[in-house]
Amino acid sequence: MEWSDYWVWFAAALVLGILEILAPGYILLGFALSAGVVGVIFALGGPFAAYLTGSMPITLVLFAAVALCLWLVMRRVFGLRSGQVKNFDHDINEN
């Protein structure tokens, strides 16, 4: 098994997606989508995929950068909407 095989990245995306369902919070979903993006890059092939095949650290940096970008997008889309935060004007222990 080699880390540059596309099915390894798709399997990682599937596992991370299942873990996201078990522990919701949009944390692992960014990693799952990022693993899917890297899997698509390896499945399509081409010069960029050949370049990534030659270097695992660069592939992991790409994976992390895509995960960060996707997490920021999901934070913007699924994040806290204005008016959802409840503010308390008094303490429960005050009379």
Side-chain angles (χ1 to χ4, degrees):
M1 178 175 76
E2 193 170 324
W3 59 270
S4 62
D5 290 335
Y6 70 92
W7 63 268
V8 173
W9 289 97
F10 287 145
L14 181 66
V15 168
L16 288 168
I18 291 170
L19 289 174
E20 174 62 37
I21 291 172
L22 296 176
Y26 302 113
I27 303 283
L28 297 175
L29 186 59
F31 292 117
L33 293 174
S34 180
V37 167
V38 174
V40 167
I41 290 171
F42 282 129
L44 293 176
F48 187 62
Y51 177 71
L52 289 178
T53 302
S55 176
M56 184 177 184
I58 293 175
T59 303
L60 293 177
V61 167
L62 174 72
F63 170 74
V66 171
L68 177 65
C69 291
L70 288 172
W71 185 81
L72 290 173
V73 167
M74 286 188 301
R75 179 73 175 161
R76 173 70 88 187
V77 172
F78 301 125
L80 194 62
R81 303 280 185 231
S82 62
Q84 285 184 329
V85 177
K86 181 166 177 132
N87 294 326
F88 294 98
D89 295 329
H90 63 283
D91 188 11
I92 192 169
N93 295 323
E94 293 178 357
N95 289 336

